[in-house]
């Protein structure tokens, strides 16, 4: 689906909006607030599924690659992403009822790749390029709500992706070793599984 974003007004996430989830606190002390990424929500809605586009310019947040704030979906809502331009890393984590992480995995995706966010998994998206903009589309139920509280409480996801590689977030008690999964090569034909069960 071709969309001209110039005529649309995005929601803008700024650096200070996500300061609580950043790795490099030393860098943050002197960093000036700026626009991090742009969310064009509700571009289209079809069969109870909403289509959005998010644009994340290349940037380093100190030692850490630019990323989204990270959130869980309240309820049993999944989500599907397609990379339209650039390259992305999707970091997924699943918590138990004690807020301990019982699973964490990464999917690296290039233009045309598709990534499914399973229900009950929190997720963060990282632009892993220092030079290219990341543009991605997502499909999700318009009924879903985001829960950022665990990411804020723990100062980010269970791992940070930095210029030195993956670093465990020490604020979590137990963090499993990261596993790496492959993206899908095409969008599932039926997206009804995105509706809450």
């Amino acid at each position: 689906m071709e969309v001209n974003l110039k005529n649309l007004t995005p929601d803008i996430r700024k650096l200070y909006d996500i300061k609580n989830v950043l790795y490099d606190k030393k860098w943050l002390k002197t960093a000036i607030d700026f626009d991090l990424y742009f969310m064009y929500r509700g571009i289209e809605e079809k069969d109870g599924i909403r289509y959005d586009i998010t644009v994340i310019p290349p940037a380093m947040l100190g030692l850490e690659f630019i990323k989204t704030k990270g959130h869980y979906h309240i309820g049993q809502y999944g989500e599907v992403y397609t990379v339209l331009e650039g390259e992305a890393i999707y970091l997924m984590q699943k918590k138990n009822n004690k807020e301990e992480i019982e699973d964490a995995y990464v999917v690296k995706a290039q233009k045309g790749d598709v990534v499914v966010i399973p229900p009950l998994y929190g997720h963060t998206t990282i632009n892993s390029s220092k030079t290219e903009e990341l543009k991605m589309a997502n499909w999700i139920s318009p009924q879903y709500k985001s829960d950022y509280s665990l990411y804020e409480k723990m100062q980010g996801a269970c791992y940070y992706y930095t210029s030195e590689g993956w670093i465990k977030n020490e604020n979590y008690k137990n963090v499993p070793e990261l596993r790496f999964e492959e993206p899908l090569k095409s969008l599932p034909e039926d997206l009804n599984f995105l509706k809450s069960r």
Side-chain angles (χ1 to χ4, degrees):
M1 178 188 315
E2 285 294 320
V3 177
N4 184 356
L5 298 179
K6 290 179 181 174
N7 301 325
L8 301 174
T9 304
D11 290 334
I12 300 172
R13 187 82 76 213
K14 298 176 94 55
L15 175 67
Y16 289 1
D17 294 332
I18 75 161
K19 65 183 180 182
N20 294 339
V21 302
L22 298 181
Y23 171 71
D24 196 338
K25 304 296 186 202
K26 184 178 176 186
W27 170 83
L28 185 62
K29 285 179 184 175
T30 57
I32 297 168
D33 201 16
F34 67 97
D35 295 344
L36 279 189
Y37 54 97
F38 307 88
M39 299 167 286
Y40 299 86
R41 293 191 174 116
I43 292 171
E44 185 176 325
E45 194 172 314
K46 188 176 179 183
D47 298 328
I49 306 292
R50 193 181 81 199
Y51 179 80
D52 308 327
I53 290 178
T54 301
V55 177
I56 307 177
M60 293 300 291
L61 308 178
L63 294 171
E64 189 175 14
F65 284 82
I66 190 170
K67 65 181 180 182
T68 60
K69 187 172 185 178
H71 65 268
Y72 284 87
H73 299 163
I74 297 171
Q76 296 277 324
Y77 293 102
E79 189 168 8
V80 174
Y81 283 93
T82 299
V83 176
L84 303 175
E85 293 174 17
E87 58 187 46
I89 293 176
Y90 297 90
L91 170 59
M92 266 73 85
Q93 63 183 51
K94 187 176 185 183
K95 62 180 178 167
N96 62 24
N97 55 11
K98 295 179 185 172
E99 295 190 339
E100 297 168 334
I101 302 303
E102 54 186 33
D103 187 28
Y105 71 96
V106 163
V107 180
K108 293 183 178 183
Q110 307 284 334
K111 183 176 179 176
D113 288 343
V114 174
V115 176
V116 176
I117 312 295
L120 305 178
Y121 275 79
H123 61 100
T124 302
T125 305
I126 301 157
N127 181 348
S128 54
S129 171
K130 292 184 179 179
T131 57
E132 282 187 62
E133 179 179 86
L134 167 60
K135 185 177 176 184
M136 58 188 179
N138 68 279
W139 288 261
I140 194 162
S141 167
Q143 271 75 51
Y144 100 101
K145 299 276 187 288
S146 296
D147 178 4
Y148 300 95
S149 60
L150 185 67
Y151 285 85
E152 290 173 341
K153 178 181 169 184
M154 297 298 189
Q155 298 176 20
C158 61
Y159 282 89
Y160 301 105
Y161 188 61
T162 73
S163 53
E164 299 166 3
W166 290 102
I167 296 175
K168 283 185 182 181
N169 181 342
E170 300 296 333
N171 295 308
Y172 289 85
K173 283 182 187 169
N174 299 309
V175 177
E177 290 303 310
L178 267 182
R179 57 189 178 86
F180 295 84
E181 299 287 342
E182 292 297 316
L184 303 176
K185 292 303 174 188
S186 62
L187 192 67
E189 283 185 31
D190 184 358
L191 295 178
N192 281 321
F193 70 93
L194 295 176
K195 299 171 185 174
S196 185
R197 288 175 275 224

